[in-house]
Amino acid sequence: MKQILNNILNANSWLFLELVIITIVAWAVFEPAVVNYYYRSLPQGYDSEQLLYAETEVNGDVFVDENGTPHDAWEMMPQRHQQMLRQLMAVEGVESAYLYTQSYGSVGYSQPTFNYCCADSDTLLLDRVGFTTDSHFFETYGLKPLTGSPSAEELSHISKSDQQVVLTRSAAISLFGTDDVTGRQLCICYQPEYKVTVAGVVEDFRQSMSSTMRSIILMPEDLNHTECRYVIRLKKGLDVSRFVEEHGQELIRGGRTTFNRISRLKTFEDYLKQLELDDGRTQEVNRSLALALFFLVNLILAVIGTVWLHAKRRTEECGVCRAFGATKLRLLFNFLWKNVVLTTAAVIIGCAIYLNYAHSGIQEYDGEVYYETLYSIREVSLPADKTWVDYFWSHFLVVSAVVYLVLIVTVIIGTAIPAVKIIRTKITEALREE
């Protein structure tokens, strides 16, 4: 095998060197595309397809109640909220609605907040999501309680005074080693520590389109916020995009109250995409994918051109082989296997060179290891939530496997196209080639 490889390298040293360089460049180009594609392919974890997003504006500084008594509007948040919900629920096709702010139910926001939580002598940093009591939070988002946990409606009724919380599946497993933890207790490491009971467990979900599944603790909070934006769930069978087009104005009119009015309405998925665009994530993802596609097209053209010149020089050799009885299939196989071996060797060398560069970027701060030369979009990696992207060797091997697959397919295609044309050349014409 060693002798065969040496013979191939001696005859194709220039092609081998080119493939090594291409491997190094391909690693740098494809890594962001692979990581971004991985994040994009993850499920949301909740039913966002039936959701609408509504923004409201303030009509004035005075709130007039049903009895005609004026009040300071900014001190009437609960009443304003309930009045708006009644108006929204009166619109045909609306199943439920929930107050949506950065403080309450911040599913969609990319800026997480965290709590240190401890149970069974283990302490973990969990992402925290607050929600308001009796607000249909779990039903509106479509979060899914596990078997043995209370229903979504029951979980929405727990209050801060109950000293109860809800965990996602990964958070429960990280803290207790199992997802059957309803009724068990944990401590939230405030000063002093705050002991709570797990009211239930729901399936994992993503906070935003650019995050992975995180270990999350959901905590009931008192309503004391003046911002009024809403997530609205439509009944099953309704198309949210068509609903916005056909009934958007009706919903806006229905959402007009004494104090607030709906000023903007869109699908929740469009809202998430807008958040991602505003954060610059959309441009970054599109740029990485476009660069990878551009590189791939040029890679195919370059390899086809290079292999074509190499194969062209073997036209006479092919003619001689065919004159002595070699079949076209045998000649095609002979073209392919040598280039496959050459590409495999080049990728191994190229990845080894890049490995040396990537390994040089490993840094450690306060006991945490960071891979500064590897691409990642996560600002915070909780120990319980790490995936292959967050570990050096799994990250390196996955991207290397993708690079190898791309190059081997490209070389096979680039070899097969000119090879088929050459072996179809008439023997007499092939023997005249110089």
Side-chain angles (χ1 to χ4, degrees):
M1 182 64 186
K2 183 178 180 180
Q3 184 63 36
I4 294 174
L5 183 58
N6 286 335
N7 292 337
I8 295 174
L9 291 177
N10 290 334
N12 305 278
S13 56
W14 53 274
L15 180 58
F16 176 77
L17 180 60
E18 180 181 338
L19 288 173
V20 169
I21 295 173
I22 287 175
T23 298
I24 296 172
V25 177
W27 222 102
V29 171
F30 285 124
E31 185 198 11
V34 170
V35 173
N36 280 314
Y37 178 80
Y38 164 73
Y39 281 117
R40 283 294 181 93
S41 65
L42 291 173
Q44 286 292 103
Y46 61 93
D47 183 10
S48 62
E49 294 182 356
Q50 292 298 113
L51 296 181
L52 297 175
Y53 168 77
E55 291 183 2
T56 65
E57 292 181 351
V58 177
N59 287 333
D61 294 328
V62 177
F63 176 84
V64 181
D65 62 22
E66 297 175 353
N67 299 320
T69 305
H71 302 274
D72 184 346
W74 300 102
E75 296 178 357
M76 301 293 292
M77 179 61 184
Q79 292 86 341
R80 291 166 46 198
H81 174 51
Q82 292 302 322
Q83 186 185 51
M84 177 63 76
L85 284 180
R86 286 195 298 269
Q87 295 294 99
L88 293 176
M89 293 300 296
V91 177
E92 184 178 357
V94 173
E95 183 175 293
S96 62
Y98 176 77
L99 174 67
Y100 178 88
T101 75
Q102 189 171 356
S103 299
Y104 307 112
S106 54
V107 176
Y109 279 98
S110 58
Q111 298 86 9
T113 53
F114 303 97
N115 279 121
Y116 278 102
C117 302
C118 58
D120 297 342
S121 73
D122 289 331
T123 300
L124 290 176
L125 187 65
L126 301 182
D127 194 352
R128 178 175 64 84
V129 171
F131 66 94
T132 56
T133 304
D134 297 325
S135 58
H136 304 287
F137 170 74
F138 292 91
E139 308 99 291
T140 301
Y141 276 110
L143 300 180
K144 304 170 185 176
L146 302 190
T147 303
S149 293
S151 66
E153 184 177 2
E154 291 174 306
L155 292 177
S156 291
H157 287 311
I158 65 175
S159 64
K160 189 174 182 179
S161 61
D162 296 330
Q163 293 186 301
Q164 291 183 317
V165 298
V166 178
L167 299 176
T168 59
R169 182 194 291 270
S170 62
I173 293 175
S174 299
L175 282 170
F176 298 98
T178 176
D179 58 23
D180 185 16
V181 297
T182 301
R184 298 182 67 171
Q185 291 189 322
L186 60 92
C187 287
I188 299 175
C189 302
Y190 297 140
Q191 292 295 332
E193 288 189 345
Y194 179 58
K195 183 171 288 188
V196 294
T197 302
V198 179
V201 182
V202 297
E203 293 287 358
D204 292 320
F205 61 92
R206 285 200 288 163
Q207 277 279 70
S208 64
M209 296 181 72
S210 59
S211 70
T212 58
M213 299 291 187
R214 288 196 177 106
S215 295
I216 296 174
I217 180 170
L218 300 109
M219 304 180 62
E221 303 285 352
D222 296 327
L223 180 63
N224 58 5
H225 207 282
T226 57
E227 189 175 16
C228 278
R229 292 182 286 177
Y230 295 87
V231 176
I232 303 167
R233 172 165 293 281
L234 299 183
K235 294 179 180 178
K236 290 183 178 180
L238 293 179
D239 184 286
V240 290
S241 298
R242 181 176 297 179
F243 187 91
V244 171
E245 294 176 1
E246 297 180 356
H247 303 286
Q249 291 303 313
E250 176 187 348
L251 185 60
I252 289 175
R253 288 193 298 272
R256 186 181 296 275
T257 67
T258 307
F259 185 80
N260 290 332
R261 65 181 183 277
I262 293 179
S263 59
R264 183 180 301 177
L265 183 70
K266 62 175 68 175
T267 68
F268 193 71
E269 290 189 344
D270 285 343
Y271 169 69
L272 293 179
K273 291 177 182 177
Q274 185 61 49
L275 279 180
E276 195 175 32
L277 181 65
D278 294 342
D279 288 341
R281 283 289 304 136
T282 301
Q283 298 92 324
E284 184 178 353
V285 171
N286 292 342
R287 184 168 56 250
S288 67
L289 296 177
L291 182 60
L293 180 61
F294 176 79
F295 178 80
L296 180 61
V297 171
N298 283 273
L299 174 63
I300 293 173
L301 294 176
V303 169
I304 290 177
T306 302
V307 175
W308 181 280
L309 291 175
H310 175 69
K312 190 72 172 175
R313 296 172 183 174
R314 298 181 60 190
T315 302
E316 184 178 0
E317 177 188 338
C318 290
V320 172
C321 291
R322 288 185 60 195
F324 281 92
T327 63
K328 293 180 179 179
L329 185 60
R330 178 66 181 176
L331 290 174
L332 178 60
F333 177 77
N334 190 46
F335 270 104
L336 290 176
W337 81 266
K338 289 183 178 180
N339 282 347
V340 167
V341 172
L342 191 72
T343 302
T344 301
V347 170
I348 292 174
I349 298 299
C351 287
I353 294 173
Y354 201 92
L355 172 63
N356 184 63
Y357 163 72
H359 200 269
S360 67
I362 297 179
Q363 302 291 336
E364 185 173 343
Y365 302 106
D366 298 327
E368 289 291 326
V369 179
Y370 299 90
Y371 311 117
E372 297 183 349
T373 54
L374 295 182
Y375 179 86
S376 177
I377 66 171
R378 299 180 68 172
E379 296 181 359
V380 179
S381 295
L382 306 186
D385 303 331
K386 290 185 177 180
T387 63
W388 65 266
V389 175
D390 306 295
Y391 295 97
F392 181 85
W393 283 109
S394 60
H395 188 133
F396 182 81
L397 292 175
V398 167
V399 177
S400 296
V402 171
V403 170
Y404 175 70
L405 181 63
V406 170
L407 261 66
I408 205 71
V409 170
T410 302
V411 167
I412 289 175
I413 294 174
T415 302
I417 291 175
V420 168
K421 183 176 179 62
I422 290 170
I423 63 180
R424 284 180 176 178
T425 304
K426 293 181 180 180
I427 296 177
T428 54
E429 295 179 3
L431 293 174
R432 288 198 299 266
E433 287 287 339
E434 295 182 359

